[in-house]
Amino acid sequence: MKTVWRVFAYLKRYPLLAIATLACAIAGTLMVIVPPAATKCVLNNVINGQHPERLLPLLVLVGFAMLLQRGLDYLRLLFNKHLRAKSYF
């Protein structure tokens, strides 16, 4: 329990970095939902509904979501690195 209070003490000193790290983690995690939802749309609308013109936008959406997830992960790690570097001093 002591460790948790120490972490909160660090976060209290640098709230913007802590919020940015948490926001990137949450948004990056939410991007995991996009590929299964797009797969469902492909199966229901493109294959079963006979609408092949809807495939390309769904593929672009999945690609964008994956790139966004990787970018948010990178930013999260960058913010976390700066947060840890500041907490040592």
Side-chain angles (χ1 to χ4, degrees), residues 7-35:
V7 169
F8 282 134
Y10 292 138
L11 295 179
K12 191 167 90 171
R13 292 190 330 203
Y14 305 105
L16 292 179
L17 277 175
I19 290 169
T21 302
L22 185 62
C24 286
I26 290 171
T29 302
L30 289 176
M31 291 299 113
V32 174
I33 298 170
V34 175

Side-chain angles (χ1 to χ4, degrees), residues 76-88:
R76 179 185 54 83
L77 291 172
L78 188 67
F79 292 147
N80 195 24
K81 176 183 150 191
H82 288 295
L83 186 64
R84 282 189 305 183
K86 289 184 180 220
S87 66
Y88 289 130

Side-chain angles (χ1 to χ4, degrees), residues 22-85:
L22 185 62
C24 286
I26 290 171
T29 302
L30 289 176
M31 291 299 113
V32 174
I33 298 170
V34 175
T39 302
K40 179 183 174 187
C41 287
V42 167
L43 290 174
N44 290 339
N45 297 329
V46 176
I47 295 174
N48 291 338
Q50 301 294 324
H51 297 287
E53 68 277 357
R54 295 182 185 172
L55 181 62
L56 185 61
L58 290 170
L59 291 176
V60 169
L61 177 68
V62 170
F64 179 73
M66 293 174 115
L67 285 174
L68 185 61
Q69 181 185 19
R70 299 299 179 252
L72 289 168
D73 284 344
Y74 174 76
L75 282 176
R76 179 185 54 83
L77 291 172
L78 188 67
F79 292 147
N80 195 24
K81 176 183 150 191
H82 288 295
L83 186 64
R84 282 189 305 183

